[in-house]
Every structure is written in C-alpha cells, then in structure tokens.
Amino acid sequence: MRILHVVNGLGTGGAEKLIVDIVPLIVVKGHVVDVLLLNGENTPFLKELRELGCCTIISLGFSFYNPFYIFKIIPYLKKYDLVHVHLFPSMYFVALAKLISFSKTKIIFTEHNTSNSRMKNLFMYPLERCIYSQYHSVICITESVQQVLMRKFAFFKNKFKVVENGIDIHRVQTVIGYDRDKFGYIEKDRLICMVAGFRVQKDQDTVVKALKLLPIGYKIIFIGTGDRLEEVKALARTLDVLERITFLGLRTDVISLIKMCDIVVLSSHWEGFGLAAVEGMACGVPVVASDVDGLAQVVSGGGLLFEKGNAKELANKIRSLEDSAYYEKICLAGIEKAGNYDISIMINKTMVLYHSVFDQSRKDINKPV
C-alpha cells in the first residue's frame, strides 16, 4: 500500500512523536509511507524522522491555518491508497479536500483527545458532522475517546475503532539515563519530570504550585515548549520557585532524561491517552497523573492519580513516594502496566484496520456501475 500520514507539524506532542515512531515500523512491513506537514518548521522530531530516511517528508508551508492548503492537498489524495490524518486543522483540510474533489481515496482520522473546543460548541456541530462523515474510519486512542465520540455522533458509531497508542518498550529498556551532574543536579535532589507542550490542555501551573508546597530538595524539569511557557515562568517567579525549575525546551532524548529523574508527572485538564505517562512507567519511574478520562485509564493500576488542578493533593502524592518500599511497588506496577502498550500491538491493530479499509476501497472501485 501507499500510505500518506498528514499532521499539522512535528513539534511537541504525543501525536507528533507517534508519527516518528510508527512510520518506520510500517515501512518495514513493506509499505510506502510518506508524511505531509502543514507546517514544515524544523524541529527535533522532524530532524529525527528525516535522519531515519524511511519516508518522503512533504511540507505545505510554515503555517497551520492557511485555507489554501485544502487545494494543495487535493493532488496528494490521488497518489495514495490511504490517507491517515492526525489533529486539527489537518482533519478539516483533508476532509474538505476530499469533499470538493470527489476523491475516492479512503481517509482515516485518529482522534487524540477526549475534549476540544469544537466538541463543546453547538454551532460547530453541523460542520463537525460533515467533516467526520468524510472519514471511512476514526481511530480512538482509548475507549474513553470512543465513548465521547459515540455520544456526540451516534450515527457514525461503526466508524469508531479503538487502537491504543504504544511505545517501543524494547528501545526504552536499552536507553541509558543521564548522570545528574550533566545538568547540575546532585544525588539527593528529588527530580520531578513533566513532558508536555505549554498549551491550554496541559496544566504545568498545578505542578508549579505543588512545588511550592514541597521541601526545597524537590526540583522540576519541564520538557517542551509552547505559547504558555512565559506564563508558567511568570507563575514560578511569583511563587519564588523559579530557581528550582529547569526548562529544557524540545528534546528527542526524553527517555534518558526520564531515567535521570525520580518521578514523572503528567498534569492535564484533559487527555486522550498520555504517551509520556506510559514512557515514565516503562522506564520504571513512578508516574503521578491527573485523574481525567483517557489518562486515568492508562495510568490506573500502574501509577498514582490526583484530582485535576489540586496542587495540594499532587504534592501529597509526590511525598508519599518518599517511602522507599512504596516507591519500589509503584515502579514495578508501572513497568507491568506499560507492557500493555507496546508499540507492536498498536502497529498490528493499525495494519488490520488499514487492510480492511484498503480491501473495501478496491471493492468500491471494482463495483459495477
């Protein structure tokens, strides 16, 4: 098959990292896979994918919301057997390109979240219904995502297929963690790591507020960038904890950084899955995450959950891990839970869906007029 993945760009995020991880594995199975970006800005993930040399990377420009991209996408629909789309606005642009060009190419969309502003806007419903109608299948990365979409679009329920995200657990196990002195830390420091973009969905604010409630030996490493970065720094400055926080920006050596740390926190207002949480568990580092749909189901039984936005509870959960026996127990539980999310499971399920859609496409083409 010739498969095209379309995504906004390759900046910070679980969906973006997933592209980098799964494309080489699909190519190994004998398929041609290319990646089309709305925004081709050079990022660590883009550099990593380019260096792998497994696919052609196509950039439409250096913007996310240029409506002319709809027309630029149309020629690509004719070149591939399947088009797999991730994130908004890519999902809109591809669906509209298919609609106005009367393309017969089957398109698939992966819904990466349990919530977004479009879902909450009643005035968007007719347009949302039109967009989703163009997709042959919609991959839901957890059952929570599937349930949300089924409630909103009950008449499309047969489109919604659960394929949980995954990570390369074998690769994670082989990565060596960094020495702390490389970043100026000492052994007795209690390092908290959060991997997430600085955007409205993520809740670094609660982590900063929790740090204020923790002893001076606790320090935070934030990995990621985004529009809210300066706001979070300002909050840290106001709470007088800025000197206990390191902002590392975009990184591709996340696993080595996680293994250097004592605790992984994923604080979110909403979350479809939480790839960083699975990475933390697979590294054998205790994970403390917001108790929100999608993320809670991934972490439950393998880590600790705290009430969304509750800095005091987060601080208490973190301090509970000072008990070495309890710490070890959560480490082992996380490793076991992470085994459910090996990327090989995800790839196999994805390929079954691809072949099903592709076979249907050939039947439609050969159907008598």
Side-chain angles (χ1 to χ4, degrees), residues 271-320:
E271 194 76 49
F273 185 83
L275 212 57
V278 178
E279 289 177 330
M281 292 190 293
C283 287
V285 177
V287 171
V288 186
S290 301
D291 189 2
V292 294
D293 277 346
L295 179 58
Q297 287 72 24
V298 170
V299 173
S300 180
L304 305 179
L305 298 170
F306 70 96
E307 181 186 17
K308 178 183 70 173
N310 189 331
K312 184 177 181 180
E313 185 180 2
L314 172 56
N316 288 340
K317 295 283 185 178
I318 290 171
R319 295 216 63 179
S320 72

Side-chain angles (χ1 to χ4, degrees), residues 47-306:
K47 181 181 178 183
E48 182 179 348
L49 185 59
R50 187 179 288 124
E51 288 176 351
L52 289 171
C54 59
C55 65
T56 298
I57 302 171
I58 305 153
S59 173
L60 296 185
F62 294 96
S63 174
F64 293 111
Y65 297 101
N66 185 341
F68 289 105
Y69 287 169
I70 297 169
F71 302 100
K72 287 187 175 183
I73 289 169
I74 290 174
Y76 292 103
L77 295 180
K78 302 174 183 177
K79 297 179 181 179
Y80 296 89
D81 301 307
L82 293 175
V83 177
H84 189 162
V85 189
H86 308 261
L87 304 178
F88 173 88
S90 289
M91 69 170 296
Y92 268 43
F93 289 168
V94 173
L96 292 172
K98 177 177 170 61
L99 183 65
I100 65 177
S101 66
F102 302 101
S103 171
K104 299 298 182 182
T105 301
K106 300 293 184 183
I107 61 176
I108 297 171
F109 174 61
T110 293
E111 179 55 74
H112 290 273
N113 270 307
T114 54
S115 180
N116 57 57
S117 58
R118 303 184 318 279
M119 289 183 181
K120 299 174 182 178
N121 190 334
L122 292 177
F123 295 104
M124 292 287 290
Y125 182 78
L127 180 55
E128 284 276 284
R129 177 172 174 168
C130 174
I131 295 298
Y132 276 96
S133 72
Q134 297 302 305
Y135 286 93
H136 185 274
S137 290
V138 177
I139 294 176
C140 306
I141 60 174
T142 58
E143 289 184 1
S144 296
V145 173
Q146 184 188 50
Q147 290 165 7
V148 168
L149 291 179
M150 281 185 168
R151 286 195 296 269
K152 186 172 178 64
F153 302 111
F155 37 85
F156 291 152
K157 64 181 182 180
N158 292 331
K159 290 178 184 274
F160 304 132
K161 313 294 183 181
V162 176
V163 178
E164 292 174 318
N165 282 348
I167 65 169
D168 187 340
I169 291 178
H170 175 71
R171 186 183 70 82
V172 169
Q173 291 171 342
T174 61
V175 172
I176 305 299
Y178 287 131
D179 291 330
R180 293 184 169 204
D181 56 9
K182 177 182 175 72
F183 294 89
Y185 296 111
I186 58 177
E187 195 58 36
K188 69 178 182 179
D189 287 331
R190 296 287 286 181
L191 300 184
I192 300 166
C193 176
M194 178 165 168
V195 184
F198 287 82
R199 51 183 185 270
V200 175
Q201 176 189 355
K202 309 300 181 178
D203 185 19
Q204 287 92 350
D205 303 55
T206 295
V207 186
V208 172
K209 292 173 184 176
L211 183 63
K212 180 68 176 178
L213 303 174
L214 292 168
I216 194 71
Y218 280 89
K219 297 176 181 179
I220 293 174
I221 296 174
F222 282 126
I223 302 170
T225 188
D227 296 339
R228 295 199 64 252
L229 176 59
E230 294 306 318
E231 289 182 51
V232 174
K233 286 183 178 180
L235 174 63
R237 192 176 296 110
T238 299
L239 295 177
D240 196 28
V241 294
L242 185 60
E243 74 282 358
R244 295 163 61 192
I245 302 175
T246 301
F247 297 87
L248 289 182
L250 292 174
R251 306 284 296 218
T252 58
D253 54 352
V254 169
I255 302 302
S256 293
L257 290 165
I258 288 176
K259 288 189 174 184
M260 180 182 73
C261 295
D262 298 292
I263 297 166
V264 169
V265 170
L266 185 52
S267 178
S268 299
H269 294 293
W270 69 88
E271 194 76 49
F273 185 83
L275 212 57
V278 178
E279 289 177 330
M281 292 190 293
C283 287
V285 177
V287 171
V288 186
S290 301
D291 189 2
V292 294
D293 277 346
L295 179 58
Q297 287 72 24
V298 170
V299 173
S300 180
L304 305 179
L305 298 170
F306 70 96

